[in-house]
Amino acid sequence: LPIPIGLYNYVYGVTNVPYFDFAGGIFLGSLKPYLLDSYLGYFGKELVDGTAGADGGLQDVLLLVALGFSVLIGVFASQLA
């Protein structure tokens, strides 16, 4: 639902969604944007400093693969819902 995250607390407070299911879903759903923002900030700093790719880029490739995998999980989970 395209509603602010704070409103989810009120919406699910009046439904029969178990607390741990709600808390787990919010936690897992929040990981992807937080990790993406962190990585993009780190990568942007490397670009500004001129050190991007200095270590061979293996770390960047692994992070992008993990990000792509998490996006695929989100796509498949949204299709199941």
Side-chain angles (χ1 to χ4, degrees):
L1 293 173
I3 60 176
I5 192 72
L7 194 56
Y8 280 108
N9 298 330
Y10 297 107
V11 170
Y12 287 117
V14 296
T15 63
N16 291 330
V17 176
Y19 173 75
F20 290 110
D21 291 346
F22 170 73
I26 290 293
F27 175 74
L28 292 176
S30 298
L31 279 180
K32 185 172 57 171
Y34 291 146
L35 293 175
L36 176 62
D37 289 346
S38 300
Y39 173 70
L40 290 177
Y42 175 75
F43 187 67
K45 183 179 180 310
E46 280 188 340
L47 287 176
V48 169
D49 292 343
T51 59
D55 59 353
L58 180 61
Q59 182 181 8
D60 293 335
V61 170
L62 290 175
L63 286 172
L64 288 174
V65 167
L67 177 65
F69 185 70
S70 70
V71 168
L72 285 177
I73 289 174
V75 168
F76 290 132
S78 67
Q79 289 179 356
L80 291 176

